[in-house]
Amino acid sequence: MFTPTHLGPSLFFFSLKPRLFNGWALLLGSVMMDFENVFLVIINNARGCPECFHHGSFHTILGAIFGSLVLAFILKKLAKPLDKISLKLKLEQSFSLKTLFFSSLLGWILHILADSLVHRDVFLFWPLKITPTLISWTLYWPLSSMFAILGLFSLIILLIGIVKSKKT
C-alpha cells in the first residue's frame, strides 16, 4: 500500500493511549520497512525485471522483530532530543527499550499484515513461502483510503488532546 497511509492505524493506536506507546517508534515502525521496497524496485528494474517481487525480508514476522529491535536501539540513542520535541507537543511518553520495541513492533506488524492482504509477495511466516492472508489486489485502494481517513481522524483526536493539555 501507499506508505504514508500505513501511518493511519498506528496514529489511531497512539491517539487512543499516547502514554502507553512511544509515538516515534510506533510511527517509524509503521513505515521503515518500505525503504527495502525502494531498494528492491531499483535493483529489479536495473536487472530488467520490473515485475519481480518488491517485498523482502522486512515484510515478514522475523523481519519485523529484527527491524523493531534495531529501531528501538536507535531511538533509545535519540531519546533526549525526541523527548524534548514530544514534551513541547505535550506528549509525555516512555523511552524505555521495552516501550520502544513493542511500539515499533506494533506499527511494523500492522503494516505487514495490511500488505499481506493485497500483495502476493509478502510472506509473513518466512521461510515458509505461503500467503494465508492474501485476499486480492482489488482491496489495495479501498484499504489505503480507509487508512488515510483513519489517520486524519486520529490526528484530529491527537490535536484536540494537545490543545486541551496546553490550556491546563
Side-chain angles (χ1 to χ4, degrees), residues 36-47 49-50 52-54:
E36 177 187 43
N37 290 27
V38 173
F39 177 74
L40 289 174
V41 166
I42 291 168
I43 295 297
N44 288 334
N45 284 339
R47 291 187 332 190
C49 186
C52 289
F53 289 163
H54 65 274

Side-chain angles (χ1 to χ4, degrees), residues 88-151:
K88 282 184 182 179
L89 294 172
K90 302 287 184 190
L91 294 171
E92 191 176 321
Q93 51 191 334
S94 169
F95 279 87
S96 73
L97 267 177
K98 180 180 172 183
T99 301
L100 290 168
F101 173 73
F102 284 111
S103 296
S104 173
L105 186 61
L106 175 62
W108 210 296
I109 294 293
L110 289 169
H111 180 121
I112 64 173
L113 279 175
D115 275 4
S116 75
L117 298 174
V118 297
H119 295 292
R120 63 183 174 84
D121 62 343
V122 174
F123 305 110
L124 291 177
F125 306 106
W126 181 88
L128 298 176
K129 292 214 172 187
I130 58 172
T131 56
T133 56
L134 179 65
I135 295 174
S136 170
W137 174 251
T138 59
L139 191 60
Y140 180 89
W141 286 112
L143 200 55
S144 289
S145 300
M146 184 180 74
F147 284 178
I149 292 167
L150 183 63

Side-chain angles (χ1 to χ4, degrees), residues 16-90:
L16 293 179
K17 290 283 187 185
R19 289 189 179 162
L20 184 61
F21 303 104
N22 180 283
W24 300 100
L26 192 57
L27 295 177
L28 285 172
S30 69
V31 295
M32 289 298 297
M33 70 293 301
D34 277 347
F35 287 106
E36 177 187 43
N37 290 27
V38 173
F39 177 74
L40 289 174
V41 166
I42 291 168
I43 295 297
N44 288 334
N45 284 339
R47 291 187 332 190
C49 186
E51 71 280 354
C52 289
F53 289 163
H54 65 274
H55 292 94
S57 58
F58 285 110
H59 279 77
T60 67
I61 301 291
L62 289 174
I65 293 167
F66 175 74
S68 294
L69 194 56
V70 170
L71 184 57
F73 278 104
I74 291 169
L75 291 175
K76 183 70 174 170
K77 292 283 186 195
L78 299 171
K80 283 186 182 181
L82 293 176
D83 196 32
K84 280 184 184 180
I85 296 168
S86 299
L87 292 174
K88 282 184 182 179
L89 294 172
K90 302 287 184 190

